[in-house]
Amino acid sequence: SNFHWLHFAFGLSRKLTKNPAFLGETKQYAIRALLNIAKYPDGLTLPKNIAREEELPRHFLSKILKELVSNRILESNMGPGEV
Protein backbone atom coordinates (compact mmCIF):
# COMPACT_ATOMS: atom_id res chain seq x y z
CA SER A 1 0.00 0.00 0.00
CA ASN A 2 1.04 3.63 -0.36
CA PHE A 3 1.29 4.04 3.41
CA HIS A 4 3.91 1.31 3.71
CA TRP A 5 5.90 2.74 0.79
CA LEU A 6 5.82 6.24 2.28
CA HIS A 7 6.78 4.91 5.71
CA PHE A 8 9.74 3.03 4.17
CA ALA A 9 10.77 6.08 2.11
CA PHE A 10 10.60 8.38 5.13
CA GLY A 11 12.65 5.99 7.26
CA LEU A 12 15.25 5.56 4.53
CA SER A 13 15.43 9.31 3.98
CA ARG A 14 16.07 9.86 7.70
CA LYS A 15 18.73 7.14 7.76
CA LEU A 16 20.54 8.71 4.79
CA THR A 17 20.41 12.13 6.42
CA LYS A 18 21.74 10.88 9.76
CA ASN A 19 24.39 8.52 8.37
CA PRO A 20 25.42 9.29 4.78
CA ALA A 21 28.10 6.59 4.92
CA PHE A 22 25.29 4.01 5.17
CA LEU A 23 25.36 3.82 1.36
CA GLY A 24 27.84 4.95 -1.27
CA GLU A 25 27.26 8.29 -2.98
CA THR A 26 25.93 6.77 -6.22
CA LYS A 27 23.38 4.66 -4.35
CA GLN A 28 22.36 7.63 -2.21
CA TYR A 29 21.76 9.72 -5.32
CA ALA A 30 19.81 6.90 -6.99
CA ILE A 31 17.55 6.50 -3.97
CA ARG A 32 17.05 10.25 -3.63
CA ALA A 33 16.13 10.45 -7.33
CA LEU A 34 13.65 7.56 -7.02
CA LEU A 35 12.06 9.11 -3.93
CA ASN A 36 11.80 12.42 -5.77
CA ILE A 37 10.11 10.76 -8.76
CA ALA A 38 7.72 8.96 -6.39
CA LYS A 39 6.41 12.35 -5.20
CA TYR A 40 4.75 12.89 -8.58
CA PRO A 41 1.41 11.04 -9.01
CA ASP A 42 2.13 10.23 -12.67
CA GLY A 43 5.84 9.59 -12.02
CA LEU A 44 6.81 12.12 -14.68
CA THR A 45 9.52 14.69 -14.14
CA LEU A 46 12.71 15.85 -15.78
CA PRO A 47 16.26 15.02 -14.66
CA LYS A 48 17.05 18.74 -14.40
CA ASN A 49 14.14 19.13 -11.94
CA ILE A 50 15.33 16.20 -9.84
CA ALA A 51 18.87 17.59 -9.81
CA ARG A 52 17.62 21.03 -8.75
CA GLU A 53 15.19 19.80 -6.09
CA GLU A 54 17.62 17.29 -4.59
CA GLU A 55 20.71 19.49 -5.09
CA LEU A 56 22.51 16.78 -7.06
CA PRO A 57 25.09 17.22 -9.83
CA ARG A 58 23.05 17.04 -13.03
CA HIS A 59 25.65 15.23 -15.18
CA PHE A 60 26.25 12.56 -12.53
CA LEU A 61 22.51 12.15 -11.94
CA SER A 62 21.95 11.63 -15.68
CA LYS A 63 24.41 8.72 -15.64
CA ILE A 64 22.67 7.21 -12.63
CA LEU A 65 19.23 7.56 -14.24
CA LYS A 66 20.50 5.89 -17.44
CA GLU A 67 21.74 2.99 -15.34
CA LEU A 68 18.36 2.70 -13.60
CA VAL A 69 16.65 2.66 -17.01
CA SER A 70 19.03 0.04 -18.41
CA ASN A 71 18.30 -2.16 -15.37
CA ARG A 72 14.55 -1.66 -15.88
CA ILE A 73 14.06 0.07 -12.55
CA LEU A 74 12.82 3.19 -14.34
CA GLU A 75 11.21 3.86 -17.66
CA SER A 76 12.30 6.84 -19.72
CA ASN A 77 10.37 8.81 -22.30
CA MET A 78 11.64 11.75 -24.27
CA GLY A 79 9.43 14.77 -23.94
CA PRO A 80 8.71 17.48 -26.50
CA GLY A 81 11.83 19.38 -27.45
CA GLU A 82 14.23 16.94 -25.77
CA VAL A 83 17.12 15.30 -27.56
Side-chain angles (χ1 to χ4, degrees):
S1 81
N2 280 346
F3 174 75
H4 294 295
W5 168 248
L6 290 174
H7 182 71
F8 167 77
F10 179 73
L12 183 59
S13 176
R14 284 184 21 172
K15 187 174 212 81
L16 288 174
T17 302
K18 288 182 178 181
N19 184 9
F22 173 71
L23 294 172
E25 185 176 72
T26 302
K27 290 176 185 172
Q28 286 183 49
Y29 287 3
I31 290 169
R32 287 172 58 191
L34 291 171
L35 291 174
N36 183 286
I37 293 166
K39 293 189 304 188
Y40 297 93
D42 57 6
L44 299 176
T45 188
L46 297 171
K48 68 180 181 180
N49 295 342
I50 298 169
R52 184 186 69 246
E53 292 170 12
E54 297 297 324
E55 299 179 357
L56 302 175
R58 188 171 169 184
H59 182 72
F60 189 39
L61 177 62
S62 292
K63 289 181 179 183
I64 293 168
L65 294 174
K66 286 179 186 176
E67 188 69 26
L68 293 173
V69 169
S70 71
N71 284 292
R72 297 183 176 183
I73 295 170
L74 281 180
E75 289 183 14
S76 176
N77 297 307
M78 292 179 76
E82 289 196 45
V83 180

